[in-house]
Amino acid sequence: MSENVQEYLVEVKNLVKYFPVRAGLLQRVVAHVQAVDNISFAVKKGETLGLVGESGCGKTTVGRTMLRLIEPTSGEVEFDGQNVLKLQGKELKAIRRDMQIIFQDPYASLDPRVPIGESVMEGLHIHKIGKPGERFDIMIETLKKVGLEDYHARRYPHEFSGGQRQRIGIARALALQPKFIICDEPVSALDVSIQSQVLNILKDLQNEFGLTYLFIAHNLSVVEHISDRVAVMYLGKLVELTGRDELFKNPLHPYTQALMSAIPIPDPHLKRKRVILKGDVPSPLNPPTGCRFHPRCPIAEPNCSVDEPAFRELRPNHWVACHYAERFL
């Protein structure tokens, strides 16, 4: 991409993740789920990159593969100049201190048998940060930064609301003072009023600590609120990537335009023209040839089913994978 490489904290290059499908008595591999198929992007230091798309498009797999919670099929993930996918043992453990994740389901990601203070301190124990008393102080300070109190440290996950549990998840990621946090749909399970509180906490922490976020979501209104740039995924591929304001003002990919048309307008007198896509999302077991979006695309031409579109820069820092995106310039 055309910008200065030095300003990027994380670079993903040609990332691929296929999940094998096994069948029969011998459990032979008969097919592959193409969850993530050759995507590349970069995240600048201190920014929030939103990653959006329908459920099942591969967003969460991208995030988990970047941290090697899932091993990739191929590709590279460079963090601060180091290829994360080649690290082993102590080197991998060390870099994981700088790369953390906030999970979508805050209850499932917390051990119900452990007080939340212990959960927040677990990373400090693993990375041998400070003495026991210092770890306790770090934990209390971190809880207060996300809006909880010191007496909460002795309570168990079932004693908290969904919003409070997500704050605990943020505290656990923050305790190690990372540089980069993957936020995997951190507000999708919360009420709208609580969503705004959690998003504001994330923005305040980013300003205070200079954090870099990859914010995974399917709610475009949330992404518009928190992101600096937005990448749009469809069926394992990136279809558009640009600045937030540019994307919401002038989306160039037909799929992005359809997503935008579904955003409700907070004015009963205004109506947005809906773009209704035909058919269902194809299976990643057997994705369409050529452009993966062509069976549902309102502007598809015959060559779209044969030739895969290149991910190209149509405007400065506005990348799109569509043969006919020039029609929307």
Side-chain angles (χ1 to χ4, degrees), residues 3-42:
E3 295 166 75
N4 182 6
V5 174
Q6 295 301 314
E7 63 182 316
Y8 292 126
L9 180 67
V10 185
E11 285 189 87
V12 175
K13 301 174 184 175
N14 308 116
L15 188 65
V16 176
K17 179 58 186 176
Y18 289 179
F19 292 98
V21 177
R22 301 179 186 275
L25 189 64
L26 299 176
Q27 289 292 290
R28 288 196 176 101
V29 176
V30 294
H32 286 90
V33 176
Q34 300 179 25
V36 178
D37 194 6
N38 195 29
I39 71 168
S40 301
F41 62 90

Side-chain angles (χ1 to χ4, degrees), residues 23-273:
L25 189 64
L26 299 176
Q27 289 292 290
R28 288 196 176 101
V29 176
V30 294
H32 286 90
V33 176
Q34 300 179 25
V36 178
D37 194 6
N38 195 29
I39 71 168
S40 301
F41 62 90
V43 190
K44 299 175 186 174
K45 290 179 181 176
E47 82 161 344
T48 300
L49 175 67
L51 184 61
V52 302
E54 292 170 284
S55 295
C57 73
K59 308 182 299 293
T60 293
T61 304
V62 169
R64 296 190 177 204
T65 307
M66 288 170 69
L67 297 183
R68 285 183 64 185
L69 299 177
I70 302 172
E71 289 294 334
T73 304
S74 64
E76 292 181 27
V77 177
E78 283 195 6
F79 175 78
D80 237 359
Q82 288 184 283
N83 188 350
V84 178
L85 307 185
K86 289 186 176 177
L87 298 178
Q88 299 294 335
K90 290 181 179 178
E91 291 177 323
L92 178 60
K93 181 180 175 181
I95 206 166
R96 277 186 166 156
R97 178 181 171 181
D98 290 327
M99 303 174 74
Q100 291 291 305
I101 184 168
I102 300 166
F103 292 100
Q104 178 177 358
D105 185 345
Y107 192 64
S109 63
L110 293 169
D111 189 334
R113 300 162 299 178
V114 176
I116 64 106
E118 291 294 325
S119 291
V120 173
M121 284 194 290
E122 186 177 7
L124 302 174
H125 291 307
I126 291 170
H127 290 275
K128 297 181 172 62
I129 297 169
K131 296 175 182 176
E134 293 170 331
R135 292 171 191 164
F136 183 83
D137 292 340
I138 292 170
M139 178 267 292
I140 294 295
E141 184 184 347
T142 308
L143 287 179
K144 288 184 175 178
K145 285 192 181 300
V146 298
L148 297 172
E149 298 298 332
D150 49 5
Y151 59 82
H152 286 131
R154 297 183 296 276
R155 294 185 180 176
Y156 290 83
H158 72 272
E159 299 180 74
F160 294 92
S161 67
Q164 287 175 318
R165 285 199 287 260
Q166 197 56 282
R167 289 169 192 246
I168 296 162
I170 295 170
R172 193 171 53 174
L174 190 68
L176 290 169
Q177 297 183 325
K179 298 176 183 175
F180 177 59
I181 299 179
I182 292 175
C183 306
D184 184 8
E185 304 216 26
V187 297
S188 63
L190 306 178
D191 293 339
V192 174
S193 58
I194 307 300
Q195 284 184 10
S196 60
Q197 294 176 19
V198 172
L199 291 174
N200 289 334
I201 286 172
L202 289 170
K203 291 184 85 168
D204 291 343
L205 292 172
Q206 184 175 39
N207 294 332
E208 185 175 349
F209 297 107
L211 295 170
T212 303
Y213 292 144
L214 175 67
F215 193 93
I216 298 169
H218 60 262
N219 186 331
L220 281 162
S221 300
V222 169
V223 169
E224 184 179 18
H225 178 70
I226 198 167
S227 300
D228 299 303
R229 290 187 304 142
V230 181
V232 182
M233 273 188 83
Y234 181 79
L235 207 62
K237 294 274 192 185
L238 280 187
V239 296
E240 193 159 4
L241 171 62
T242 187
R244 173 194 61 194
D245 295 339
E246 169 71 9
L247 188 82
F248 281 82
K249 185 172 68 176
N250 188 24
L252 296 180
H253 196 282
Y255 175 63
T256 313
Q257 293 170 358
L259 288 180
M260 296 292 179
S261 75
I263 301 174
I265 300 174
D267 185 336
H269 303 293
L270 294 177
K271 282 193 176 180
R272 199 188 298 271
K273 185 181 178 184

